[in-house]
Amino acid sequence: MRYRKPKYYSDFQCIAGSCPDTCCAGWQIVIDEESLEKYGKIKSDFGTRLLNSIDWYQGIFEQYNRRCSFLNEENLCDIYQELGSEALCQTCRQYPRHVEEFEDLREYSLSLSCPEAARIMLSAKEKTEFEETEDLVEENEEDYQDFDLLLFDRLEEARELIFTVIQNRSLDLTKRMGILLRFSFEIQEALDRGELFELELEECLEDILKREEKGSFKARFRNMKAMADDLKKLEVLLEDWGKELENLQAQLYDRDEENYAMIRKSFGEILHKSGREQDWDIWGEQILVFFVYTYFCGAVYDDMIYTKAVLSVFSLLWIREILLERWYIRGEDPKLETVCRAAWEYAREIEHSDENLNLLEEIFNGSALYKPENFLPGLTI
């Protein structure tokens, strides 16, 4: 079995009460069977509380005001304090650690939705690197009878090439996003035609690198306004997110294109004067690498390659759009702390709802807006 993880993976340690938010509110926490059985056997006053504070039919913790029933006023876990870390359910022990399972490979990552994980990812100035280990453990072949190993190998190869582009700091970040989309679209088209294994990936990428994509504020405004309508179709997990979408709509899109262009131009000047242009690009690069690493090879299970690339670019655009709105309305300085907050708040709404992720992929796959000829002109930043 092979194991892959970003080098920063082992740097994570929960900061508990020092965290600016809590991972125990806003979404349901599923309890594994072993932990449920353990909780049901505890004989004490706390055992009675466990009995009354778990939805035993669904296997989840009850919530009060969208907070886990065991989350106390200090945003700390009463199960941890009463019974120790070994009593935590699998979800609570693992988060924000995440694993994607493939035949003979496990890929580990940290969830961007965790404030501390986001800080670790985005504070890194160096390019993200991955480390791989291997042992003699063999996968149960019956679990992966339908796994297309040839397709997965092709996806891994393509992703490595994508990483070289995303992390090529001699290229403008807008161009890097455009290449990611074009390249993924070509791969998707080849797969749909049944010609993926005949496609010369490196030659295809070289051809795309030579292309010049033209963007405009007009296309950016048109696209963001349309994408805002798509965001409104998603399930809202936290009330503040609904208010965020309302603010974005009112402050950025309900006015005309000229006003939007003026806001973006002023924001760019602020980045330039503060000397944060390079940091801004590095933060964007790290976000793209995270989404590509986490989702791209998952296309082996659904054949939806291009939508994984769109999700990566879409996510970066919206995290930046949130920062733009907060600077314009609240005067928030575009520094690491505010970038991290925008990133993990966005990720909590998107990544922690399978319903939202699936709906977004349906939208990306079915809407003409996200085809390269329409989507790319709106990447201008």
Side-chain angles (χ1 to χ4, degrees):
M1 179 77 71
R2 292 183 297 137
Y3 306 90
R4 183 180 293 136
K5 60 184 179 181
K7 286 191 174 180
Y8 59 69
Y9 180 85
S10 301
D11 294 339
F12 175 79
Q13 287 188 327
C14 178
I15 57 175
S18 300
C19 186
D21 206 335
T22 174
C23 53
C24 306
W27 54 67
Q28 292 181 336
I29 300 173
V30 178
I31 310 169
D32 59 282
E33 290 294 332
E34 183 178 342
S35 296
L36 278 173
E37 184 178 352
K38 185 188 303 181
Y39 296 155
K41 293 179 178 179
I42 294 176
K43 307 297 183 183
S44 64
D45 289 343
F46 195 75
T48 301
R49 181 180 171 190
L50 282 164
L51 183 66
N52 295 327
S53 302
I54 291 175
D55 183 329
W56 294 89
Y57 178 75
Q58 296 190 62
I60 59 175
F61 290 113
E62 297 281 8
Q63 289 194 343
Y64 305 122
N65 296 321
R66 299 183 67 82
R67 290 167 60 89
C68 175
S69 50
F70 292 94
L71 182 64
N72 62 35
E73 293 181 358
E74 287 76 37
N75 278 345
L76 298 175
C77 175
D78 284 339
I79 292 179
Y80 182 94
Q81 293 186 323
E82 290 285 336
L83 304 177
S85 60
E86 67 279 0
L88 295 176
C89 69
Q90 187 175 3
T91 300
C92 296
R93 284 199 307 270
Q94 290 185 344
Y95 181 81
R97 300 167 187 88
H98 174 77
V99 59
E100 289 290 330
E101 299 187 0
F102 307 105
E103 183 178 354
D104 197 35
L105 174 66
R106 298 292 179 268
E107 290 197 333
Y108 295 89
S109 62
L110 298 178
S111 296
L112 187 63
S113 57
C114 168
E116 178 62 8
R119 186 198 65 78
I120 290 171
M121 282 184 239
L122 299 181
S123 62
K125 299 288 188 182
E126 64 275 8
K127 298 175 182 179
T128 299
E129 295 182 355
F130 301 90
E131 55 189 19
E132 188 170 312
T133 57
E134 190 171 357
D135 60 27
L136 298 178
V137 175
E138 293 186 4
E139 186 59 79
N140 185 344
E141 293 183 5
E142 293 184 2
D143 293 339
Y144 291 90
Q145 285 182 342
D146 298 325
F147 190 86
D148 191 335
L149 187 57
L150 291 176
L151 173 58
F152 183 73
D153 288 345
R154 201 65 166 154
L155 290 171
E156 274 197 293
E157 183 183 355
R159 189 178 63 175
E160 285 303 310
L161 291 172
I162 289 170
F163 284 151
T164 64
V165 171
I166 293 176
Q167 297 181 313
N168 184 348
R169 296 179 181 178
S170 68
L171 297 176
D172 181 84
L173 189 61
T174 300
K175 184 172 180 64
R176 289 183 250 172
M177 288 191 286
I179 294 169
L180 163 61
L181 291 169
R182 284 282 186 197
F183 186 47
S184 301
F185 187 77
E186 292 292 338
I187 297 170
Q188 182 72 66
E189 291 281 278
L191 176 64
D192 293 344
R193 294 192 305 266
E195 300 173 358
L196 178 58
F197 300 103
E198 288 72 49
L199 181 66
E200 295 291 339
L201 293 178
E202 292 190 18
E203 290 183 11
C204 177
L205 183 58
E206 286 296 324
D207 288 341
I208 293 171
L209 279 164
K210 297 172 184 176
R211 300 182 193 179
E212 292 294 331
E213 304 285 355
K214 293 184 178 180
S216 67
F217 277 117
K218 182 176 182 177
R220 175 65 175 241
F221 178 71
R222 177 199 66 211
N223 286 4
M224 297 308 300
K225 189 172 184 178
M227 285 191 285
D229 290 336
D230 287 337
L231 271 181
K232 294 173 189 173
K233 299 173 185 175
L234 305 183
E235 173 191 19
V236 174
L237 301 183
L238 296 172
E239 182 180 353
D240 287 347
W241 178 250
K243 294 177 181 177
E244 186 72 57
L245 294 182
E246 291 176 4
N247 287 339
L248 284 164
Q249 184 68 47
Q251 303 301 331
L252 300 183
Y253 314 127
D254 283 348
R255 304 179 188 181
D256 56 25
E257 170 196 324
E258 287 74 19
N259 181 74
Y260 181 76
M262 179 273 293
I263 295 172
R264 291 199 58 80
K265 182 179 179 182
S266 299
F267 185 69
E269 292 172 352
I270 289 294
L271 286 176
H272 180 70
K273 290 178 181 178
S274 64
R276 290 206 176 98
E277 287 177 309
Q278 185 178 18
D279 289 338
W280 187 248
D281 280 352
I282 292 175
W283 295 330
E285 171 190 310
Q286 305 290 28
I287 290 170
L288 285 178
V289 169
F290 165 78
F291 277 98
V292 170
Y293 173 66
T294 305
Y295 293 101
F296 188 82
C297 286
V300 71
Y301 293 115
D302 59 15
D303 291 344
M304 297 177 72
I305 301 170
Y306 180 63
T307 59
K308 308 297 190 292
V310 175
L311 175 65
S312 305
V313 173
F314 179 93
S315 297
L316 176 55
L317 291 177
W318 277 109
I319 291 168
R320 289 187 157 191
E321 208 75 350
I322 291 168
L323 290 161
L324 175 67
E325 179 266 326
R326 291 180 179 179
W327 164 79
Y328 180 59
I329 299 302
R330 309 180 196 176
E332 290 190 4
D333 188 13
K335 57 185 180 181
L336 177 63
E337 179 183 351
T338 52
V339 173
C340 287
R341 174 172 285 275
W344 59 256
E345 287 182 346
Y346 167 86
R348 288 189 172 203
E349 290 294 324
I350 303 304
E351 286 196 280
H352 286 273
S353 169
D354 288 339
E355 179 181 331
N356 283 345
L357 281 172
N358 292 336
L359 180 54
L360 275 178
E361 286 216 289
E362 290 178 16
I363 292 171
F364 297 157
N365 189 53
S367 172
L369 169 64
Y370 300 98
K371 300 299 181 186
E373 62 268 23
N374 298 320
F375 197 39
L376 269 63
L379 298 185
T380 182
I381 54 177

